[in-house]
Amino acid sequence: MGVAEANGQYRVVLYIPGPGTRLVQGEVVTETGKTINDVVERIGMNLETNVDLLHLKFAIFDRKVAENGLKDSVSGFM
């Protein structure tokens, strides 16, 4: 998952792996919104499957987001 901020909105990029595959096949989705949770929910509504962050391996935050502090950003999905 990648997170950036512009114009007061978060932009989240998620890689959704294909079902039951270990190959690098999947879908990259991008969405924007007021909070990271809102964005992830919107992505889930646009996909046929639920977005489950329990299996999230890592998150990459844009420098601007990181410099403003990650406590609020991370607390929503940790």
Side-chain angles (χ1 to χ4, degrees), residues 50-77:
N50 288 336
V51 176
D52 184 3
L53 296 181
L54 292 175
H55 299 287
L56 184 68
K57 299 289 185 192
F58 59 89
I60 300 172
F61 292 90
D62 181 75
R63 179 183 293 261
K64 180 179 177 182
V65 175
E67 286 175 347
N68 288 332
L70 295 176
K71 183 177 180 180
D72 291 334
S73 298
V74 175
S75 65
F77 59 87

Side-chain angles (χ1 to χ4, degrees), residues 14-56:
L14 279 174
Y15 170 74
I16 310 293
T21 181
R22 292 181 182 251
L23 300 174
V24 186
Q25 296 177 2
E27 183 176 0
V28 176
V29 290
T30 303
E31 189 64 66
T32 59
K34 281 189 154 190
T35 68
I36 295 171
N37 284 337
D38 289 342
V39 176
V40 171
E41 283 183 30
R42 189 173 300 131
I43 290 172
M45 289 189 310
N46 293 331
L47 295 175
E48 294 178 6
T49 62
N50 288 336
V51 176
D52 184 3
L53 296 181
L54 292 175
H55 299 287
L56 184 68

